[in-house]
Every structure is written in structure tokens, then in C-alpha cells.
Amino acid sequence: MTARRGLFITLEGGEGAGKSTAAAGLAEIFRAEGAEIILTREPGGTPGAEAIRALLLSDVPLDPLSQTMLHFAARADHAVAVLRPALARGAVVICDRYYDSTMAYQAYGQGVSIEAVASLIRLVDLHPDISLLLNLPPEVAEARIRTRAGGSDRYEAMGPAFFARVAAGFQSIAAANPGRFAVVDAAQTPVAVVAAMREAIRTKTGV
């Protein structure tokens, strides 16, 4: 495959859904097809955004609105320095989380105004061609999180009610954007998840 235009793919979902593993597998498929691949993540992807990520995942007290603003500060830097240039030269960009995660976690999960988050999305004004929601039953996600090395971050330490709100938020976002979203069963094997993602991209975008 030779990409004739940029393609912006985002992976979304709750903790333990396997987004990082799936993103790496998807990148390998596109690389084998001949595409230039930019594999990145949010918050992160630039030195400044990675510094913000470290703050967001730390135990420094931050209210939900402050977290939202930090996410979008990191996102703005990422968009200017990495995402827009890559897409302009025709690369396939695969991003582990993007603005839908901020909407799900900070708005649906923590009660920040949905319209406030939407206004920041409009301000950044860079939208995915396709978003893949990796859907996982809560009990499977919890079991996966328990096997991770290291301690819980700010979000992983929150309780089941929070994650139920986040999951419902992702479902609502996907339902409201059927042209952009594809829901993938993340309880499958990693190979099956990646294959399902590649097929969804082909179906939704023709690429």
C-alpha cells in the first residue's frame, strides 16, 4: 500500500482494553502495506505533551476542569508539531486515545460540561477519519488492570461507578458518530482484534 493521502486513526476505550498493543499491531499491518506510519499517543507525542502526561498521571491534586485543560494543552501541541505535518505528507497516523477520551473521562466520568469539552474540540479543529472503540466487559478490564506492573495511576485508582460512567460515555459518543466510529470486541485475541480493526478501517474509509 502507498498512502496517497493522510489517514488519521484513533483508538479509544477504557482501561485494560489493549489499545497500545492493538495500535502497535495495526501499525505493523500498514507498514507492511507500504505506508509511512506515525504511531503516537495522547496525552503525549511531543516533549511538552509528555511532560503534561506525567503530571496528569501523577498524584498531584487536579480538579476535573484543570485536567481537561491540560489534556487540550497537550493535544494542541501534539496537533501542531506531529499530527498535522504527518497527515499533510500523506502518512497514516495511529493515535492511542484522542479527544473522545477526554469527553468520556472528564465530561461523562467526572462531570465537566459536555459543551465545554466540545468547544475545545472545535478549537483544536483536527478530527479523525476513523475512531475504533475497543469494547471490553468491565470484569475482563478489571482483571487485565490487576496484572499490570506498577501502581495505579490517577484514573485506574478510581472506582467502578466512575468507569461505568466512562464506558457509557464512550458508547454514547460512538452512537452519536456512526460515520466515524467502529466498535471492536476487545475480548478477542490480539491478532483477531487487529484484524477486525483493519477490516473496519477498510470498510469505513476505503483505505
Side-chain angles (χ1 to χ4, degrees), residues 1-167:
M1 169 188 170
T2 300
R4 291 179 291 179
R5 62 177 179 84
L7 182 67
F8 187 14
I9 303 164
T10 59
L11 275 62
E12 300 289 1
E15 308 302 318
K19 292 178 299 302
S20 298
T21 299
L26 188 61
E28 285 305 311
I29 288 179
F30 273 103
R31 208 171 274 122
E33 293 174 4
E36 178 195 354
I37 296 297
I38 300 297
L39 181 58
T40 188
R41 68 180 183 178
E42 287 210 349
T46 69
E50 289 292 339
I52 293 172
R53 178 187 183 90
L55 175 58
L56 281 164
L57 297 181
S58 74
D59 58 3
V60 173
L62 293 167
D63 70 272
L65 182 57
S66 298
Q67 293 173 42
T68 301
M69 301 300 285
L70 285 168
H71 275 287
F72 275 94
R75 183 161 298 127
D77 186 50
H78 192 208
V80 168
V82 175
L83 304 179
R84 290 186 187 278
L87 293 168
R89 65 176 183 266
V92 173
V93 176
I94 301 171
C95 190
D96 180 353
R97 296 199 183 282
Y98 194 53
Y99 58 57
D100 296 304
S101 278
T102 311
M103 183 67 82
Y105 278 72
Q106 274 67 52
Y108 285 90
Q110 294 183 300
V112 173
S113 162
I114 289 175
E115 178 50 37
V117 176
S119 69
L120 291 168
I121 290 172
R122 290 192 294 270
L123 186 62
V124 172
D125 194 27
L126 179 61
H127 307 287
D129 295 297
I130 181 169
S131 298
L132 301 160
L133 175 58
L134 274 63
N135 199 37
L136 196 65
E139 63 276 9
V140 178
E142 185 177 353
R144 288 184 180 180
I145 292 167
R146 284 199 303 268
T147 65
R148 288 179 176 174
S152 298
D153 62 33
R154 183 187 304 275
Y155 303 114
E156 289 177 358
M158 293 184 179
F162 168 75
F163 285 109
R165 293 193 300 273
V166 170

Side-chain angles (χ1 to χ4, degrees), residues 176-189:
N177 297 276
R180 175 167 65 88
F181 263 91
V183 179
V184 176
D185 178 8
Q188 305 175 84
T189 66

